[in-house]
Amino acid sequence: MKVAGLGFKRNVTVAALREALATAGGPDGLAAVATVSDKAETVSLKLLARELNVPIIARPVELVAGIATSTQSEFIKAKFGTGSIAEAVALAVAGRGARLVSRRAISQDRTAAAAIAEGDGE
């Protein structure tokens, strides 16, 4: 299962999400987009998921805390307990054997981050 993990600020635009995803490798072959539960209802995310025709899969922040990530944001680490929400949620949702296909990429306006992981989906 190929999943794009997305971390973003509340005021993110769909354009910023698209840009981060494109920089991370693009949407080809994605089975889902993923984020933390408290951001799953964000309008821009819903628009992107609809545009890509994929579901949004959300995970509670407690389940992504502690997941080792290849990139590290000290701010994110202090707030959420992982170095990258985008990478951690992508790995969490991709399932057993998950590995990063693309490390975290950040939109130019710094409101969105995306990472792509693949795993067995379970």
Side-chain angles (χ1 to χ4, degrees):
M1 176 178 195
K2 188 174 178 183
V3 176
L6 299 167
F8 50 89
K9 294 183 179 180
R10 296 250 178 237
N11 64 338
V12 73
T13 64
V14 70
L17 290 169
R18 263 192 229 111
E19 178 191 339
L21 180 57
T23 304
D28 289 346
L30 289 180
V33 293
T35 196
V36 290
S37 298
D38 68 335
K39 293 192 177 177
E41 295 297 317
T42 303
V43 172
S44 295
L45 178 63
K46 287 180 166 186
L47 290 170
L48 179 67
R50 187 174 315 130
E51 183 179 295
L52 300 175
N53 196 32
V54 296
I56 298 168
I57 301 175
R59 292 290 184 263
V61 72
E62 298 82 29
L63 291 182
V64 299
I67 293 177
T69 60
S70 63
T71 63
Q72 299 291 311
S73 162
E74 291 305 317
F75 174 79
I76 296 298
K77 194 170 188 176
K79 188 170 181 178
F80 298 105
T82 187
S84 166
I85 288 292
E87 290 180 9
V89 77
L91 290 166
V93 171
R96 278 193 319 249
R99 64 179 179 77
L100 283 178
V101 175
S102 172
R103 294 169 45 155
R104 174 186 68 186
I106 302 172
S107 63
Q108 285 188 316
D109 69 2
R110 306 198 59 78
T111 62
I116 299 173
E118 286 183 331
D120 68 9
E122 294 180 17

